[in-house]
Each structure stands twice: as structure tokens, then as C-alpha cells.
Amino acid sequence: MANSDTTIVILAAGKGTRLKSSLAKVLHRAGGRSLVEHVVRACLPLKPRGIIAVVGHQAEDVTAAVAPLDVKAVLQQPQRGTGHAMQVARRAIPSRTKIAILLPGDAPLIRAETLRALAEAHGKSGAAATILSAEIANPAGYGRIVRRDDGSVAAIVEDSALTEEQRAIREINSSIYCFSLDKLWPCLATLKPKNIHKELYLTDAIAALREKGDNVQAVLAADPEEVLGCNTRADLAAVDSVFRRRKRAALMDAGVTIELPETVIVDPDVSVGADTRIEPGVHLLGKTRIGMGCTIRTGSILSDAVLEDQVLVKPYSIVTATHLSVGAQVGPFAHLRDGARLQENARVGNFVEVKKSTLGKGVKAMHLTYLGDASIGEGTNIGAGTITCNYDGVNKNPTKIGKRVFVGSDTALVAPVRVGDGAYIGAGSVITKNVPPDALGLARGQQVNKLGWAKTRRKEQNSAAKASTSRSRKKSRSQSSRKK
Ligand code: UD1
Ligand code: CA
């Protein structure tokens, strides 16, 4: 449905006082995106003529958040209420537009299907305005829908203005509406700030339409969860958990196993292949892509990582901006970051950090190692405690290690340095010069064995100890005899 008649307006100028935050409300995040971005994404499938965001608080940042999604921002300064925001939006709405769908920037759970149903209902009834409403258990804080006997809407009454009788109404205004603009504009001009906040309330336009004899309808959202607004931190947490649940459900539908799903956090752009298993407490963030048949074990955090098929990430590993090829294994407690790359079947073990380095096929670095700015050829073994000394205090320098090299434990490779194919490095070496292919590189103090030295030392220590005990006995005997 491409809708050249329809413009979508998102109200995103408010501060969000109830969040007690220095950050504008619509920039708060839930489910891995800012609130306003969620709202825009729900609107895109409707293919409207345009999407306009009314911005005010932190206007530049809010504009920057929506601009990549082809949303035009208009500035509302100062913010004098939702009705005023719509008056401001008018400037940016093309005059040929007949219908406006209006949404608040703080109700991010709304779905495109629901907006479509709202627009369809509006078209069918020929009403001047159609409100998306919802029945919720705890309507406190929301505007309530007051219906006439014929089922049409008489007014929206804000929470602060409710009569005792109206307080029992559980049907609330979602702040999502469809308006026929030729009817709305004249009413909008008549709004008065007759409330404690001295604001122009868009909700008052409903009663104004009725006074003019226009018809106003409300359609109930099939799922009341979709219209939840985020006015408080508790609302944000509730909305976040709905997004997380939706994403996990989608992955499980696609054949992913998730253990204790409520403990797993997956960002919206993450993809995971079938038969991959995700253990409790895992976070999959950013643009992470995971292939089929992988296992991500408990407590691991993957951000912008790419995993091919059959990759194993053992517990508590941190994998950021890293590519892991088929059969690679990392962890437990590994840290891979900033362009690390493990080729097929390469393995990184516990307490190993890999930064901006490529480990060729079958390379192993299993224990207590730092590899930075290094390239390591296939089949090489990196011993425990190996360190690439890549930073000289000013520059980062490369280490190049060839194929099938054996690097002994506790080796320091002082970069820039190269180790040729098939070379062998003795344990404990500090390698400062290139090692030619197939050579032994050894750079450590020479060992000296002094025969019998330890035995002699023990004897000396024993006789010294005996002498000191007999001295102290004599002393204590003479002291006790004097006391008598
Ligand atoms: C509003 C509705 C209420 C409804 C509820 C649903 C009004 C008067 N009330 O109340 O009936 O039940 O939403 O969540 O409309 N905004 C601007 N400019 C302004 C003021 C607000 O752009 O001058 C934006 C805010 O950034 C926000 C949206 O409008 O995204 C709604 O404003 P908010 O203050 O959250 O309204 P509620 O009190 O929640
Ligand atoms: Ca709100």
C-alpha cells in the first residue's frame, strides 16, 4: 500500500520529565534501539508520502537519530503541548496530504499491521478522526476514551481532569490517531491551554470536532501491549523486556535453541542460523551474525561479530568486531576485538586476548596470551604466556609469524618482527630480531648448574638453626633460675 495521500507525524519534542534524565525521552533506548527509531521503523512499511518528526528537546540529536531513515524534522520551540506540536508540524505537511497518522515518539511497541488497520478503519467509517485505543488493567496516567451510546467517541479526558465516574474507564487513548486534515486544521486553531500545564492538548481537538458535528471513532488495539508509552524508567524496562521477548521468539521460530530465554539479550539486527544453541546469560549485540550449528556458551557477549557455521564460543568470552570461520573455538574467558579473525578450526583458549590479528587455519593459542597487530600462518602453535609487544609507546607495530611455527611458552615478540615458516622459538625468549624459516630462535639467559650447591646450602642452614636453638635454651634456663 503506497499512500501518497498520507503523511505520518511523530511527536518527539518532549523532554520526558518523569524519566528524570538529561537525555531527551525519545532517545532513551529499549530493545536495542532508541524509542523514536522503533516508531519510525513501524511506520516505514506503510509507505506514506513522508514522515515528519516534531523535535524540540535535544533537537539536533533527535534529528540525527531519525534522518538516516528519511524522516524530516521540524522544530517546535518552545514545546507548548501535543496540540501545539501538530500546529507546528502543519508547516512541513504537503498541502495535498488528506490524511495524517499521528504517533507519539515514546510508544515504540506499535506495529505496522496495527497502523494499517487503523488507517483502513478510518477510510471505511469516513470519520474526521480515528483514535487507536486500548483496554488496559491499570489505566492511571493515560487519557480515557469517553464513548457515546452509539459507540462513537465523545471526548478524550486526560487523567488529571477525570470525574470519579470516568476514572473507572479502562479504555485509554494511545496517542496514535488518524486524522482527515481538512477537518482537523480548523479545530486545531481553536485549542486553548485550559489545563494546569498551560499546554495545548491535541486531545481537546476531539471534543472540538464533535462540537462541529464531525464523527470521531476509536478502534481497539488487538494487543494492548503495543500502545505502552514510556514515561518512566519502569515503563522503559517493561517495554525493553517486550522487545527482547519478541526477538527471542522470532529466533526460536527460526530454529535456534535458547536456554532460559529470559536471561538472553539479542539486539534487533542480530541474525542466528538454525540449530545454533545459546546458553543462559548470553548477549548478542549490534550487527552480530551467527551461522548454523554454533554454540554460544553461558555469559558470553558478542558485539558486531560474524560467526560462520559450527563455531564454539565457550563461557564468559567477549567477542567484538571479530570474524570466526567454520569450526573456530574460543574461550572460556577469551577477549577478541577490533578486527580479530580466526580462520577455519583456529582455537583460542582461556585468558587470551586477540586484537586486529589474523590466526590462520588450525592455529592454536590456548593459554594466557596477547596477540595484537599480528598475522599468524596456518598450523602454528602459540605457547602459553606469549605476548606480542606491539606498542613502543608511540606506534603500533606488526608481528608476522609464518606457517607451522612453534612459539615456546612465555615468549615476548618485540614488534616489528617476523618469524619465518617452520621456525621454532625456545620458551622464555625475548625475540627482537627476525627469525629465519626453519631456524631455532633462542633469546634468554643461559642456564648454569652448580653440582651439590643445594645440598651444601641445606647442611649449612641446618647447623646454623641447631646452634641458635641451643643458645636460646641456655638463656631461658638462666632466666628462670634467677626468678626462683
Ligand atoms: C498523551 C495524551 C494521553 C495519552 C498518552 C498516551 C495528550 C494531552 N495526552 O499523554 O491522552 O493517553 O499520551 O501515551 O496528548 N510532545 C511534543 N511536544 C510537546 C509535548 C509533547 O512533541 O509540546 C511529544 C512528546 O515528546 C511525546 C508525545 O508528544 O512523544 C506525548 O507527550 P507526553 O507528554 O508523553 O504525553 P502523555 O502525558 O503521555
Ligand atoms: Ca507519553
Side-chain angles (χ1 to χ4, degrees), residues 9-16 23-28 34-37 39-40 51-63 65-66 71-77 79 81-82 85-86 88-89 102-107:
V9 179
I10 299 171
L11 303 189
K15 181 164 185 252
L23 187 69
K25 170 155 73 174
V26 299
L27 293 179
H28 278 262
S34 67
L35 302 182
V36 69
E37 188 184 338
V39 176
V40 174
I51 303 179
I52 292 165
V54 180
V55 302
H57 269 279
Q58 293 172 3
E60 270 180 38
D61 294 337
V62 177
T63 304
V66 297
V71 174
K72 193 174 162 205
V74 281
L75 187 65
Q76 183 198 16
Q77 199 71 275
Q79 295 82 38
T82 47
M86 193 57 185
V88 171
L102 196 77
L103 302 95
D106 68 345

Side-chain angles (χ1 to χ4, degrees), residues 227-260:
V227 306
L228 287 177
C230 291
N231 295 319
T232 64
R233 302 272 175 170
D235 293 341
L236 275 176
V239 162
D240 182 69
S241 86
V242 174
F243 276 119
R244 301 306 188 183
R245 199 180 68 215
R246 281 185 187 172
K247 179 69 186 184
R248 290 186 304 251
L251 291 181
M252 290 191 277
D253 281 348
V256 178
T257 295
I258 306 182
E259 294 176 8
L260 289 185

Side-chain angles (χ1 to χ4, degrees), residues 31-341:
R33 288 190 178 124
S34 67
L35 302 182
V36 69
E37 188 184 338
H38 281 295
V39 176
V40 174
R41 282 176 182 272
C43 296
L44 293 176
L46 274 74
K47 299 196 172 65
R49 168 181 286 269
I51 303 179
I52 292 165
V54 180
V55 302
H57 269 279
Q58 293 172 3
E60 270 180 38
D61 294 337
V62 177
T63 304
V66 297
L69 297 165
D70 219 11
V71 174
K72 193 174 162 205
V74 281
L75 187 65
Q76 183 198 16
Q77 199 71 275
Q79 295 82 38
R80 292 173 45 224
T82 47
H84 177 241
M86 193 57 185
Q87 290 173 352
V88 171
R90 186 176 185 176
R91 280 188 250 138
I93 298 177
S95 54
R96 269 170 300 169
T97 300
K98 294 196 173 73
I99 303 286
I101 297 176
L102 196 77
L103 302 95
D106 68 345
L109 288 164
I110 190 68
R111 291 180 203 249
E113 301 90 280
T114 308
L115 294 176
R116 238 183 235 132
L118 174 71
E120 267 165 34
H122 183 79
K124 271 192 199 139
S125 73
T130 306
I131 303 162
L132 181 68
S133 67
E135 274 193 4
I136 61 175
N138 178 14
Y142 287 93
R144 309 292 208 286
I145 305 290
V146 179
R147 298 229 188 205
R148 292 184 169 189
D149 291 341
D150 67 0
S152 68
V153 177
I156 298 172
V157 181
E158 286 307 298
D159 191 76
S160 53
L162 290 168
T163 64
E164 256 338 286
E165 229 168 289
Q166 287 168 336
R167 201 162 285 281
I169 299 174
R170 283 176 45 236
E171 187 182 5
I172 58 113
N173 168 29
S174 69
S175 247
I176 297 171
Y177 318 82
C178 198
F179 286 112
S180 295
L181 288 174
D182 58 338
K183 307 279 189 189
L184 177 68
W185 295 138
C187 287
L188 215 52
T190 67
L191 293 183
K192 301 263 159 23
K194 50 181 187 188
N195 51 69
I196 42 164
H197 295 109
K198 301 267 178 289
E199 289 187 346
L200 300 181
Y201 282 176
L202 183 64
T203 44
D204 290 340
I206 301 302
L209 283 167
R210 295 265 43 170
E211 268 165 39
K212 290 207 159 140
D214 286 318
N215 183 9
V216 178
Q217 294 290 322
V219 294
L220 273 164
D223 179 1
E225 203 171 66
E226 272 186 59
V227 306
L228 287 177
C230 291
N231 295 319
T232 64
R233 302 272 175 170
D235 293 341
L236 275 176
V239 162
D240 182 69
S241 86
V242 174
F243 276 119
R244 301 306 188 183
R245 199 180 68 215
R246 281 185 187 172
K247 179 69 186 184
R248 290 186 304 251
L251 291 181
M252 290 191 277
D253 281 348
V256 178
T257 295
I258 306 182
E259 294 176 8
L260 289 185
E262 61 282 9
T263 68
V264 171
I265 292 177
V266 185
D267 274 354
D269 293 331
V270 171
S271 65
V272 184
D275 287 326
T276 284
R277 193 162 63 90
I278 298 170
E279 289 190 353
V282 165
H283 295 191
L284 304 176
L285 308 176
K287 304 219 179 303
T288 293
R289 281 188 286 131
I290 298 178
M292 298 201 296
C294 296
T295 301
I296 316 299
R297 300 209 46 204
T298 195
S300 291
I301 301 176
L302 279 56
S303 314
D304 300 323
V306 176
L307 277 61
E308 296 180 7
D309 299 341
Q310 310 294 338
V311 170
L312 171 59
V313 178
K314 295 181 192 172
Y316 303 104
S317 296
I318 313 291
V319 181
T320 306
T322 287
H323 187 114
L324 303 175
S325 298
V326 175
Q329 296 190 15
V330 307
F333 299 101
H335 185 195
L336 283 66
R337 60 187 179 95
D338 299 342
R341 194 180 172 110

